[in-house]
Amino acid sequence: MKEFSIVIAGGGSTFTPGIVMMMLDNLDRFPIRQLKLYDNDGERQGILGEALEILLKEQAPHINFSYTTDPEEAFTDVDFCMAHIRVGKYAMREQDEKIPLKHGVVGQETCGPGGIAYGMRSITGMMEIIDYMEKYSPDCWMLNYSNPAAIVAEACRRMRPNAKVLNICDMPVGTLRRMSQIINKKPEDLEVRYFGLNHFGWWTSVKDKEGHEYLSEIRDYVAENGYLTQVEVDTQHMDKSWQETHKKAKDLLAIDPRFLPNTYLKYYLYPDYEVQHSDCSYTRANEVMEGREKTVFTAAKKIIEKGTAENSGFTIDSHASFIVDLARAIAFNTHERMLMIVENNGAIANFDDDAMVEVPCIVGSDGPEPLTQGKIPAFEKGLMHQQVTVEKLVVEAYITGSYQTLWQALTLSKIIPSAEVAKNVLDDLIEANKDFWPELK
């Protein structure tokens, strides 16, 4: 079996060790000859890089491992780029969440004004690494799971339409895992139908390989408990904020009981509830910085200090195995069925062809082929059209440098109550992001 060369863009991410561990756990399915980390923050990446170098020498000494801030070194001789960048790091995520809350608006990483702010930062970083990839390894595929995925995917469609970029999100993977726990199955035994945008969609079918439909059984559970399962609480050490998110799915289900909702819809359909239950001084960003951030970097420093990765504290990010499934689909033409973010082109029959939608696809060596989901109901279609227009306006504002267009994007967002509030939030976000956004006029 061919051995592959991988670069992880965003090598200083707290997710990097778990993903590296996951790839080591899947070497029998996806052999690796070379693994590189790339980040523009050399100091941050260096801590994880040094620790992972020790780990790889012990667990997979045949893999040629390196970490660098030099784009040519990182992207030369690479088959796959796995991208999980966070422009502005957690310090800017904190601003994305707290600035809107100051104005009485939902403060969330990927939704509403926070997601728009993050998107405006991410476009620059994404286009940069796409250009590096195409310059130094033109046959390379990018597996992109950087947030906010919807805005990033639209930017790729508009600005790099011919790039070999695959946009995917881990949220449906996690929700399918919880669904499988509800019905005592394994995720790989289930096949779903789904339509929507990223972080903005609905499951219409959950079947096993024999064709048995579990939608009503899962729906009955979600109507009482949301997607929260005791297995996840006990084994995944789930943060309280995520437990609340999964429980809130029961209220989302009540709005349209025909379909199983994506949990992120709570920010759009219950924004007043979210604001009331938010703490302006302590948001999810603080939770992550005091939790996963400290845990991962403390573990890395201990590995460096001890000179060994035995009992390291790094854990396998097993649900991220979807990244290996996607890479294998491209490399070995496996025709894997996966939820992907793709240009609609008729996959949802009564929706805009140029919208970046999230639907099941069959993935082979030429990329994803969307499966048609038919026509969707008026309620979901109306919500999706409003949201996809916001995403298109954000990318248009980035390209043209238009303050007016970005103000319109925030005004149109279902999360923001008025044009006046949108303008006030926007002005504060511009000030906070002056080192990251293009100049708006």
Side-chain angles (χ1 to χ4, degrees):
M1 198 183 292
K2 180 183 175 182
E3 294 184 325
F4 296 95
S5 175
I6 312 292
V7 60
I8 297 178
S13 166
T14 55
F15 292 108
T16 296
I19 287 171
V20 170
M21 297 277 285
M22 177 274 298
M23 287 195 287
L24 296 183
D25 199 45
N26 283 272
L27 285 174
D28 58 329
R29 298 197 305 134
F30 187 67
I32 297 171
R33 65 177 173 86
Q34 180 169 249
L35 176 61
K36 299 188 266 190
L37 307 184
Y38 170 75
D39 203 300
N40 59 9
D41 185 337
E43 184 178 353
R44 181 183 172 90
Q45 178 179 256
I47 297 168
L48 300 184
E50 191 175 345
L52 287 168
E53 189 169 30
I54 293 167
L55 182 145
L56 281 155
K57 279 179 182 173
E58 293 177 348
Q59 297 189 19
H62 68 282
I63 295 176
N64 180 17
F65 176 77
S66 61
Y67 52 98
T68 182
T69 58
D70 176 40
E72 183 174 3
E73 185 182 340
F75 288 91
T76 297
D77 181 30
V78 169
D79 300 305
F80 292 97
C81 170
M82 298 177 176
H84 55 214
I85 66 171
R86 181 181 292 279
V87 179
K89 298 189 270 294
Y90 288 120
M92 288 309 300
R93 176 177 179 173
E94 186 177 10
Q95 295 299 306
D96 295 342
E97 294 170 353
K98 290 183 177 179
I99 288 172
L101 282 170
K102 186 180 78 173
H103 294 275
V105 175
V106 169
Q108 208 281 329
E109 173 192 20
T110 64
C111 303
I116 289 170
Y118 187 12
M120 288 286 287
R121 292 196 305 274
S122 296
I123 294 171
T124 302
M126 281 303 303
M127 297 308 113
E128 187 175 78
I129 60 173
I130 289 171
D131 291 347
Y132 291 148
M133 180 184 83
E134 293 189 327
K135 180 178 180 180
Y136 297 116
S137 288
D139 294 327
C140 180
W141 283 87
M142 178 180 289
L143 315 184
N144 175 52
Y145 41 100
S146 304
N147 274 323
I151 292 172
V152 167
E154 171 62 13
C156 291
R157 185 190 73 84
R158 284 286 307 276
M159 301 171 70
R160 300 293 186 275
N162 299 315
K164 297 168 76 170
V165 178
L166 302 173
N167 292 293
I168 193 167
C169 177
D170 68 343
M171 185 64 195
V173 177
T175 303
L176 183 63
R177 184 179 68 244
R178 282 176 278 280
M179 289 179 184
S180 71
Q181 292 163 0
I182 291 167
I183 56 176
N184 295 312
K185 296 283 180 181
K186 294 180 179 178
E188 57 268 27
D189 296 332
L190 300 174
E191 208 166 73
V192 305
R193 291 181 68 81
Y194 179 98
F195 70 87
L197 314 170
N198 181 242
H199 288 183
F200 203 102
W202 296 263
W203 283 265
T204 60
S205 174
V206 184
K207 291 182 179 178
D208 62 22
K209 296 298 169 64
E210 288 71 47
H212 180 79
E213 179 64 74
Y214 289 96
L215 192 74
S216 60
E217 187 178 335
I218 298 169
R219 193 165 48 204
D220 290 345
Y221 180 94
V222 174
E224 292 292 323
N225 309 283
Y227 292 119
L228 190 66
T229 65
Q230 199 57 47
V231 174
E232 295 268 310
V233 174
D234 292 342
T235 65
Q236 301 293 319
H237 309 293
M238 189 184 290
D239 290 337
K240 188 173 184 297
S241 62
W242 271 115
Q243 292 186 36
E244 293 302 319
T245 290
H246 295 310
K247 283 194 282 189
K248 190 66 178 170
K250 66 181 180 180
D251 294 328
L252 296 171
L253 180 66
I255 301 167
D256 190 342
R258 292 174 295 178
F259 309 133
L260 292 165
N262 190 303
T263 54
Y264 279 85
L265 287 164
K266 72 172 188 164
Y267 299 110
Y268 301 94
L269 302 178
Y270 292 96
D272 49 350
Y273 174 90
E274 288 304 314
V275 171
Q276 289 165 13
H277 291 79
S278 296
D279 182 348
C280 294
S281 62
Y282 190 87
T283 63
R284 174 68 185 156
N286 300 114
E287 197 174 60
V288 172
M289 286 187 281
E290 293 182 15
R292 187 175 67 238
E293 173 107 349
K294 282 186 178 175
T295 300
V296 168
F297 278 89
T298 297
K301 288 170 184 174
K302 282 184 179 175
I303 291 171
I304 296 165
E305 185 183 322
K306 292 192 302 180
T308 177
E310 280 188 39
N311 305 313
S312 68
F314 282 169
T315 55
I316 297 172
D317 189 352
S318 55
H319 96 274
S321 61
F322 75 91
I323 301 164
V324 166
D325 294 336
L326 180 56
R328 290 187 78 254
I330 296 293
F332 304 125
N333 201 33
T334 62
H335 297 107
E336 186 82 16
R337 182 171 172 151
M338 310 183 77
L339 286 188
M340 303 283 296
I341 305 162
V342 294
E343 198 165 359
N344 184 35
N345 287 330
I348 300 171
N350 56 340
F351 204 61
D352 297 350
D353 280 345
D354 64 352
M356 295 301 288
V357 297
E358 193 166 42
V359 293
C361 297
I362 302 299
V363 187
S365 56
D366 292 328
E369 296 182 32
L371 298 175
T372 57
Q373 303 301 301
K375 292 184 178 180
I376 60 175
F379 176 68
E380 286 78 8
K381 180 186 174 186
L383 287 171
M384 284 172 57
H385 190 264
Q386 181 181 21
Q387 178 59 22
V388 82
T389 305
V390 171
E391 292 157 7
K392 286 177 176 293
L393 287 170
V394 171
V395 175
E396 181 67 23
Y398 179 94
I399 293 169
T400 61
S402 169
Y403 176 97
Q404 193 83 40
T405 304
L406 197 56
W407 181 17
Q408 290 171 356
L410 271 82
T411 300
L412 189 60
S413 174
K414 187 169 172 53
I415 284 174
I416 299 180
S418 75
E420 182 181 4
V421 173
K423 189 176 190 305
N424 293 337
V425 172
L426 175 57
D427 289 343
D428 282 358
L429 289 174
I430 288 172
E431 179 61 28
N433 285 276
K434 59 189 175 186
D435 293 334
F436 300 99
W437 286 10
E439 186 180 358
L440 301 177
K441 295 178 181 176

